[in-house]
Amino acid sequence: MIKLRPLALASALALSLAAGPLAPALAQPAPAAAEAEWPGLPPGAAEEYAVMRDGTRLAANVFRPAGRGPWPVILSRTPYLKDGRRTEQNPNPAEGLAKQAKRYTDAGYVYVLQDVRGKGRSQGFYAAFENDIEDGYDTVEWAAAQPWSNGKVGMTGGSALGITANSAAMANPPHLVAAYVVVAPADRLSYSYPGGVLKEKDTIGWLRQQGTSEEQLDRVRQRAFDDVSWNRVAMTANRKYIDIPIFNVGGWYDIFNGGTVDNFQWLQNHGAPGARGNQKLLMGPFGHGQLSGDLEYPGNDRIGLAGDQEIRWFDHWLKGIDNGIMDEPPVSYFMMAAAKKGALSPKNRMVAAANWPPAHREVRYYLAEGRALTTRAPTDAEEKVSYRFDPGRPVETFGGANLTFERGPMDQRAVGQRQDYLRFQTPVLAKDVAIAGPVKMELWAATDGPDTDFVVKLVDVYPDGYEALVLDAPVRTRFRAGRMPGEVRMMTPGAPEKLEIDLWPTALTFEKGHRIAVHVTSSNAPRFEVNPNTGEAPGAAKLKPRVAVNTVYLDATRPSAIVLPVVYPDDVK
C-alpha cells in the first residue's frame, strides 16, 4: 500500500472559481502587508522580489539548502500568503512553512514560495488566476536567473497552488522542467457550474462570508455561459502549450476529481512532445478536506503522495537521477470497496494501470418499473414516473465533492422519503461489480415548463441500508446541448428528451451483498443552486418560482440508464 502524506490546503477556492471576467469587480488593491499585521519571515527564509513584465514586484520567500550552490529550484505560487496568517487555530504559521520548506532544502533544492499579484507582500491587484499565466512565466524565468539557481525549475502545489502551476506550464517558460500538481481543475467553468448549475454553497455562500456585495454575487450567478473570458485561462483551451512532465494527484471525492483525471489523460495521450507519455496520475480515496459520514478509507484525510514520491519525481527530472520512477506504471488509483468505520474490506487497494481509463466495458443499468435497476433493457411500450419539484422545498445536500462543508460518501437515507426523490436499486448483488473509469447518465426526461434541473446520484447501498454517495451531478435542461449562447434552448413542455449527465470518474467495487443504486431528483441544496423553473436567464430571479412537474421515462424507446465502466474480475481480486 502506498502511504499518503498530509498537504495543507486553504479553502478559498470559491472566490477563485467565480472570478473569471469579474476580476475588475472583485480585484483587491494590495500593497505590501502592513508591518503591524505581518507575522514576519519563517525561519531560514530570505525575502526576494521578482519584477514582472509590467513592473509589478512580487515577493517570495527563498529557502536555500546548506552548502554551496547553485541548486535546482522548486517553486510554489500562492494566494494564501507566503508568510502565513496568525489565527487562534494557527498562532505560529512560520513553523509549518519552515517545515514545509525543509523537505525540499534537505533534498538539495532551493524552495521558493511566492505571494501572487495583489496578495500578502506582493504589489498589484488581486484578480484570481487572471494574471498567473504571464506572472508564472516571469517568475519561473526570474528564479532560473538567480545566482542560487542552476537554471532548472520545477513547480509544486495543491488546489490554488496547483492551478498557478498549471497556468505557468501553459505559458511554456523555457526553464520550467517539470511540475507536481495536486487537485486542480481542467476548466473553471465546468467545475463552477457543472451541467450549467452554479455550485451555490461553495461559491456564493463563501463569497458572501468574505463581504462580497450582492451586486457582485448577482454577476457570479450569470456566469454559466461559455465565453472567451473563461477560456483565456482554461486548461482545456491552453494545455496544448504544456510541454513538460506533470505528476497529477487527485481524490475520488475531491472537487476537482474529473479535472485531475482529464488533465492527465489529455497530456499523456495528446500533449506536446515533452508532455506526451511523461505524465503520472494518482487518484486516492479522499476529498478536498476530511471526509464526512460513516466510511473511512485508508489515508482519506491525505492529499498527495509520500514525500519521497514527489522528491523522486523532481530528482529524476531536475537532477537527472535514474531512480526508476519513469519505469513504473503511469497510473495508480485506489480501488474503493466497503469501508464502514472499523470494518474495512481487504478489497480496498491501490491498482496500477498503463493508462486511464483502464480496460473496461460499458454496462448500462436501466431504471425500471418498481424502482428497480437492472441490466435488462426495458421492453414496455410506455413507462414513466412523475413528481412535483417545488423550488421552495429543495432536497437537502448530504455529502458529495464539496469544499466548504461536509463532503464525501455520506448516508443518503438522511434525505428521507420524498415524492420528488426517486430511488432505483438492484437486487442484492450475488457477486462483486467493480467499476473504474468515467460514469455518465443517459436520462430520458420531460418537464411541464421551459426549464428545470435534474440531479443524479450513484449510490452504494450497504447490507445494513447505509446509502453511501459515490458520485452526483446535475444538468440544467436549457444547457443540455451546450454552454455556448447559440446552443441554449428551452424545453418543449411535456416533450421527453435525452439528457446526458457527466458524473465524473471513480473506481469502486460494489461488493457482494451490497446493492447498486441510482437516485434521481431535481435539487440538491445548498450544494447546487435551485432552479426556479421559470426559464429566466441565470441570475435574473424576477419571476415567482413555479412548481414543475418533471417526468422520467423508463420504456423501450426512451430507456434511462446509468453507464458504468465495469472492469473484469481478474482486475480487482
Side-chain angles (χ1 to χ4, degrees):
M1 179 71 69
I2 294 178
K3 295 182 179 180
L4 306 172
R5 70 170 177 85
L7 174 64
L9 297 176
S11 62
L13 258 291
L15 173 61
S16 63
L17 293 174
L22 292 176
L26 297 180
Q28 304 170 20
E35 292 297 329
E37 301 174 355
W38 184 38
L41 292 174
E47 188 175 62
E48 299 191 26
Y49 281 80
V51 180
M52 301 296 100
R53 63 191 64 183
D54 64 352
T56 301
R57 300 174 73 238
L58 304 187
N61 288 341
V62 178
F63 300 83
R64 304 185 202 179
R68 296 182 62 183
W71 303 273
V73 178
I74 296 178
L75 166 68
S76 294
R77 304 188 64 249
T78 180
Y80 303 137
L81 307 186
K82 67 178 181 64
D83 303 310
R85 179 184 286 113
R86 290 195 186 100
T87 65
E88 291 184 7
Q89 295 75 25
N90 187 23
N92 186 18
E95 181 179 342
L97 291 168
K99 183 178 180 181
Q100 176 182 335
K102 191 174 186 295
R103 287 188 56 252
Y104 302 110
T105 56
D106 283 354
Y109 296 94
V110 176
Y111 179 58
V112 178
L113 180 60
Q114 182 190 63
D115 283 333
V116 299
R117 179 181 296 251
K119 285 289 188 174
R121 303 273 291 174
S122 288
Q123 296 177 341
F125 288 81
Y126 178 63
F129 304 124
E130 291 300 302
N131 304 108
D132 287 321
I133 293 177
E134 296 82 4
D135 287 354
Y137 181 104
D138 292 351
T139 300
V140 167
E141 294 305 295
W142 166 82
Q146 300 311 299
W148 33 258
S149 170
N150 71 359
K152 294 185 177 182
V153 180
M155 292 192 71
T156 191
S159 194
L161 283 69
I163 297 174
T164 59
N166 279 338
S167 296
M170 289 188 287
N172 196 20
H175 292 90
L176 182 61
V177 178
Y180 188 88
V181 174
V182 183
V183 295
D187 184 333
R188 282 158 53 205
L189 171 61
S190 61
Y191 289 86
S192 302
Y193 305 80
V197 184
L198 176 65
K199 291 176 69 175
E200 179 80 23
K201 177 73 171 178
D202 281 346
T203 50
I204 299 298
W206 192 91
L207 286 168
R208 184 177 285 119
Q209 291 175 5
Q210 312 313 307
T212 304
S213 73
E214 292 302 313
E215 179 182 2
Q216 291 168 336
L217 294 178
D218 286 342
R219 294 178 65 187
V220 172
R221 292 188 176 94
Q222 299 167 17
R223 300 261 19 263
F225 298 95
D226 195 353
D227 59 36
V228 68
S229 300
W230 284 115
N231 287 293
R232 191 187 75 80
V233 294
M235 279 284 282
T236 49
N238 298 295
R239 60 192 173 196
K240 61 186 178 183
Y241 303 115
I242 294 176
D243 199 29
I244 61 168
I246 299 179
F247 200 125
N248 300 270
V249 181
W252 293 132
Y253 287 99
D254 186 73
I255 59 173
F256 299 138
N257 160 348
T260 300
V261 170
D262 187 37
N263 287 336
F264 163 82
Q265 193 171 356
W266 196 93
L267 290 169
Q268 178 75 346
N269 298 289
H270 310 290
R276 188 168 57 249
N278 289 324
Q279 307 296 298
K280 293 279 188 180
L281 173 68
L282 180 131
M283 295 297 292
F286 43 74
H288 217 83
Q290 179 69 41
L291 296 183
S292 308
D294 292 344
L295 304 192
E296 188 172 46
Y297 293 101
N300 72 0
D301 60 344
R302 313 290 173 88
I303 308 179
L305 281 173
D308 66 332
Q309 202 68 354
E310 180 186 1
I311 297 301
R312 284 181 69 215
W313 181 249
F314 287 123
D315 281 351
H316 177 85
W317 290 107
L318 271 65
K319 294 184 178 180
I321 297 175
D322 185 9
N323 55 23
I325 194 167
M326 292 308 293
D327 298 325
E328 298 166 3
V331 176
S332 297
Y333 65 90
F334 193 93
M335 172 62 74
M336 299 183 292
K340 278 298 211 50
K341 291 179 179 177
L344 184 72
S345 167
K347 295 177 181 179
N348 286 279
R349 67 186 186 97
M350 295 299 301
V351 178
N355 208 335
W356 184 269
H360 67 272
R361 56 191 172 93
E362 289 190 345
V363 178
R364 281 167 173 77
Y365 281 77
Y366 297 94
L367 311 188
E369 182 182 6
R371 306 296 173 85
L373 188 66
T374 175
T375 55
R376 297 186 301 274
T379 57
D380 292 339
E382 185 173 351
E383 186 68 38
K384 60 186 179 182
V385 57
S386 298
Y387 58 87
R388 290 169 57 83
F389 163 38
D390 182 354
R393 298 188 62 252
V395 172
E396 187 176 352
T397 297
F398 295 96
N402 301 320
L403 170 68
T404 60
F405 61 120
E406 289 184 315
R407 64 191 68 82
M410 294 182 68
D411 191 352
Q412 301 307 289
R413 288 180 298 182
V415 171
Q417 299 298 318
R418 299 174 55 123
Q419 61 83 30
D420 61 349
Y421 193 86
L422 311 180
R423 289 175 166 91
F424 299 85
Q425 62 182 14
T426 65
V428 173
L429 297 176
K431 61 180 181 179
D432 292 353
V433 176
I435 64 174
V439 178
K440 64 180 179 179
M441 183 74 193
E442 299 171 346
L443 185 71
W444 279 89
T447 185
D448 67 344
D451 187 38
T452 194
D453 289 351
F454 288 95
V455 176
V456 171
K457 301 177 181 179
L458 176 63
V459 175
D460 181 7
V461 182
Y462 280 63
D464 64 359
Y466 187 95
E467 295 179 340
L469 180 62
V470 182
L471 297 167
D472 65 336
V475 64
R476 183 147 295 179
T477 57
R478 71 171 63 206
F479 295 119
R480 64 195 180 279
R483 225 70 86 74
M484 295 289 288
E487 296 170 330
V488 177
R489 53 189 174 89
M490 296 296 110
M491 295 285 280
T492 300
E497 293 199 39
K498 184 179 180 180
L499 310 172
E500 291 202 359
I501 304 174
D502 179 8
L503 273 78
W504 297 359
T506 194
L508 173 72
T509 298
F510 295 94
E511 294 200 38
K512 176 182 177 181
H514 290 223
R515 299 173 188 258
I516 303 172
V518 172
H519 296 178
V520 181
T521 185
S522 286
S523 56
N524 185 0
R527 175 158 159 72
F528 301 117
E529 176 189 53
V530 179
N531 195 325
N533 301 321
T534 60
E536 291 179 280
K542 295 179 181 178
L543 300 177
K544 181 181 179 181
R546 61 179 294 274
V547 176
V549 177
N550 291 342
T551 302
V552 175
Y553 289 80
L554 321 170
D555 54 49
T557 57
R558 295 160 299 195
S560 294
I562 194 163
V563 184
L564 298 182
V566 177
V567 295
Y568 297 99
D570 287 346
D571 293 335
V572 295
K573 285 182 180 178

